[in-house]
C-alpha cells in the first residue's frame, strides 16, 4: 500500500483525508481536517490568513490559531478557494476563522469566504460565497451563484442567482441526497 | 521511491521576467511572474501566493498599496502594457487583461468596484466610480466612501504584511 500511495495523485492521511499533491495548502498548521475529506488538485486553502488579534473569548491558545476547520466527508473540487473572511472590528483589522461542517461539497472554481458553512451543504461550480456569510445545514447552492457578504442562508434552501437568493425549499429527504460518503469511496 | 520534489518547487517559471520590486512590497515566493517585459511593483503592495503576472505581451506596472490575491491572472494585452494604479485590490480568480486600472479600484472575483463574476468587454472604458454588479449591470457610486475604503485597505495591508512571508529574492534574476 505505501508504494501505491507514493505514486497516486492523493496523499492519504491517518484520518482518511485525501489531499492532492497539486493542491495549494498554505499555512497547514492552522487548518483542521476532520477526516475523510478530499482536496483535489489546484484547490487553494489559505490557513496562513489567521486571526491577528487575540480572541475575546478566553479559549486556549491552540484553538485561537485555527484559521479553517473542515468537518468529515467534505469534497473540495478542482481550483476551488477557501480563504477566511476579514474585517475591522473596534478599529482592529483581522481575519476570522472559517468553519465548515460535514458532507460539504465545493464545486470547481468556487471561492468560499464564509464564516460558517453547516452540514450537508452543496456549493456548485463557479460560485462566490461572500465574506462572513453563514450557510446553515442542508443547503443547495446552484452553479454560478454569487452570495453577498454577511448573508445568512436558512436550512433546507435552494439558492440561485446574483446575488444569491433562496428560490425554493428542499424536500425533507434532501439530507440523504446530500450525503457524500459515496463520493469519498469513488476517489 | 525517492521523495519527489514538491509541485511548488518543480513549477519554476518557464521564462523569468525582469522585475523591479520595491523594497517595501510583500511578494510570496509561490507567486508566478513570467514573461519577457518588465514587471514593476510599487511600495506596500501585497502579492498573494499563486498570483500570476504574465508580461509576455507587454510590461506590467503595479502601483502602491495594492493587494493582488491568489489565483488571479494579470496579463498585458499588447506592448502598451498594463498599468494598475495605487490602492487597487484584485481579488481571487480575477482576470485582468486591460490597459489601465485606476486608483482605488476593487476587482472582485475595478474609483470602480467590480463585484464577483462581472465582466468588462474588450476595448471598453469603465468611467470612474462605476460599480458593476450582478450580471454585469452597472451604476455610479456617489456615496463618497473612498476615505473609509482606503483606511480599510491600509489596515488590511498592515495585517497581511505580518501574515505573508515575503520572498523577493526568488524573483530577482
Amino acid at each position: 500500500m505505501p508504494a501505491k500511495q507514493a505514486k497516486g495523485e492523493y496523499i492519504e492521511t491517518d484520518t482518511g483525508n485525501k489531499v492532492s499533491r497539486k493542491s495549494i495548502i498554505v499555512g497547514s498548521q492552522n487548518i483542521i481536517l476532520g477526516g475523510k475529506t478530499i482536496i483535489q488538485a489546484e484547490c487553494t486553502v489559505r490557513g496562513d490568513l489567521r486571526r491577528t488579534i487575540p480572541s475575546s473569548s478566553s479559549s486556549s491558545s491552540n484553538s485561537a490559531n485555527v484559521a479553517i476547520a473542515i468537518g468529515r466527508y467534505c469534497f473540495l473540487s478542482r481550483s476551488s478557494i477557501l480563504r477566511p473572511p476579514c474585517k475591522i472590528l473596534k478599529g482592529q483589522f483581522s481575519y476570522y476563522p472559517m468553519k465548515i461542517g460535514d458532507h460539504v461539497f465545493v464545486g470547481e472554481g468556487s471561492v468560499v469566504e464564509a464564516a460558517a458553512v453547516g452540514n450537508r451543504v452543496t456549493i456548485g461550480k463557479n460560485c462566490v460565497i461572500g465574506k462572513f456569510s453563514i450557510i446553515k445545514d442542508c443547503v443547495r447552492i446552484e452553479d454560478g451563484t454569487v452570495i453577498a457578504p454577511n448573508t445568512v442562508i436558512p436550512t433546507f434552501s435552494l439558492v440561485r442567482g446574483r446575488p444569491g437568493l433562496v428560490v425554493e425549499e428542499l424536500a425533507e429527504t434532501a439530507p440523504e441526497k446530500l450525503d457524500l460518503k459515496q463520493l469519498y469511496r469513488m476517489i | 521511491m525517492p521523495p519527489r520534489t514538491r509541485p511548488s518547487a518543480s513549477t519554476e517559471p518557464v521564462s523569468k521576467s525582469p522585475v523591479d520590486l520595491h523594497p517595501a512590497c510583500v511578494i510570496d515566493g509561490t507567486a508566478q511572474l513570467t514573461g519577457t517585459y518588465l514587471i514593476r511593483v510599487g511600495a506596500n503592495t501585497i502579492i498573494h501566493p499563486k498570483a500570476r503576472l504574465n508580461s509576455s505581451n507587454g510590461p506590467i506596472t503595479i502601483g502602491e498599496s495594492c493587494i493582488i490575491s491568489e489565483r488571479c491572472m494579470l496579463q498585458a494585452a499588447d506592448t502598451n502594457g498594463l498599468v494598475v494604479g495605487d490602492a487597487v485590490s484584485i481579488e481571487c480568480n480575477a482576470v485582468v487583461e486591460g490597459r489601465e486600472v485606476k486608483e482605488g479600484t476593487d476587482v472582485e472575483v475595478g474609483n470602480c468596484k467590480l463585484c464577483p463574476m462581472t465582466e468588462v468587454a474588450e476595448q471598453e472604458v469603465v468611467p470612474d466610480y462605476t460599480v458593476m454588479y450582478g450580471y454585469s449591470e452597472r451604476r455610479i457610486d456617489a456615496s463618497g466612501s473612498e476615505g473609509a475604503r482606503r483606511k480599510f485597505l491600509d489596515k488590511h495591508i498592515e495585517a497581511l504584511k505580518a501574515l505573508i512571508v515575503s520572498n523577493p529574492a526568488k524573483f530577482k534574476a
Side-chain angles (χ1 to χ4, degrees), chain A residues 21 24 42 44 46 48-50 52 79 81 83 86-88 91 93 95 109 111 126 128 146 161-162, chain B residues 1 4 7 48-50 69-71 91-93 109 116-117 134-135 151-152 155-156 159-160 163-164:
Chain A
R21 291 170 198 279
I24 304 147
E42 290 168 42
T44 314
R46 295 298 301 269
D48 59 334
L49 305 178
R50 60 174 200 278
T52 40
S79 54
I81 300 178
R83 57 168 5 203
C86 59
K87 69 174 172 187
I88 292 178
F93 182 94
Y95 280 91
V111 181
N126 299 321
V128 179
V146 176
R162 297 174 191 169
Chain B
M1 205 174 166
R4 285 170 61 179
H48 278 274
K50 292 285 170 182
S69 295
E70 64 265 32
R71 294 190 62 82
E91 290 285 342
C92 311
N93 278 355
V109 189
M117 314 288 276
Y135 296 92
K151 250 187 209 164
F152 179 81
K155 285 197 171 171
H156 193 167
L160 285 173
L163 291 173
I164 294 181

Side-chain angles (χ1 to χ4, degrees), chain B residues 15-38:
Chain B
S15 60
K16 262 193 180 178
S17 60
V19 290
D20 175 10
L21 302 175
H22 192 279
C25 79
V26 174
I27 179 161
D28 188 273
T30 57
Q32 294 169 355
L33 276 61
T34 55
T36 44
Y37 288 89
L38 183 70

Side-chain angles (χ1 to χ4, degrees), chain A residues 62-174:
Chain A
N62 191 26
S63 66
N65 279 332
V66 174
I68 299 180
I70 303 177
R72 289 160 64 81
Y73 291 106
C74 290
F75 190 97
L76 308 180
S77 311
R78 275 180 79 92
S79 54
S80 56
I81 300 178
L82 294 190
R83 57 168 5 203
C86 59
K87 69 174 172 187
I88 292 178
L89 184 68
K90 294 175 191 159
Q92 282 183 300
F93 182 94
S94 180
Y95 280 91
Y96 288 87
M98 174 196 246
K99 203 169 174 238
I100 292 182
D102 302 344
H103 298 274
V104 174
F105 178 91
V106 181
E108 265 176 56
S110 288
V111 181
V112 180
E113 288 185 277
V117 178
N119 298 326
R120 297 176 197 262
V121 173
T122 297
I123 299 173
K125 284 182 195 169
N126 299 321
C127 293
V128 179
I129 312 296
K131 288 186 176 78
F132 291 100
S133 49
I134 295 172
I135 300 171
K136 303 280 191 182
D137 296 351
C138 290
V139 173
R140 207 184 138 78
I141 298 170
E142 302 230 313
D143 294 357
T145 303
V146 176
I147 291 183
N150 305 312
T151 311
V152 179
I153 309 278
T155 56
F156 289 93
S157 318
L158 178 68
V159 184
R160 191 186 297 152
R162 297 174 191 169
L165 299 170
V166 178
V167 289
E168 241 173 85
E169 258 178 43
L170 294 181
E172 274 178 41
T173 54

Side-chain angles (χ1 to χ4, degrees), chain B residues 77 97-98 119-125:
Chain B
E97 290 187 323
E119 283 176 23
V120 181
E122 274 178 51
Q123 303 286 337
E124 193 181 339
V125 178

Side-chain angles (χ1 to χ4, degrees), chain B residues 95-146:
Chain B
V95 179
V96 182
E97 290 187 323
R99 183 170 297 174
E100 198 177 357
V101 180
K102 275 202 187 154
E103 191 178 323
T105 305
D106 282 319
V107 181
E108 280 188 49
V109 189
N111 290 145
C112 293
K113 180 179 175 76
L114 307 184
C115 289
M117 314 288 276
T118 54
E119 283 176 23
V120 181
E122 274 178 51
Q123 303 286 337
E124 193 181 339
V125 178
V126 179
D128 289 356
Y129 300 103
T130 304
V131 180
M132 290 184 67
Y133 58 97
Y135 296 92
S136 298
E137 292 116 302
R138 53 197 71 191
R139 65 177 171 89
I140 300 293
D141 177 18
S143 66
S145 59
E146 308 101 25

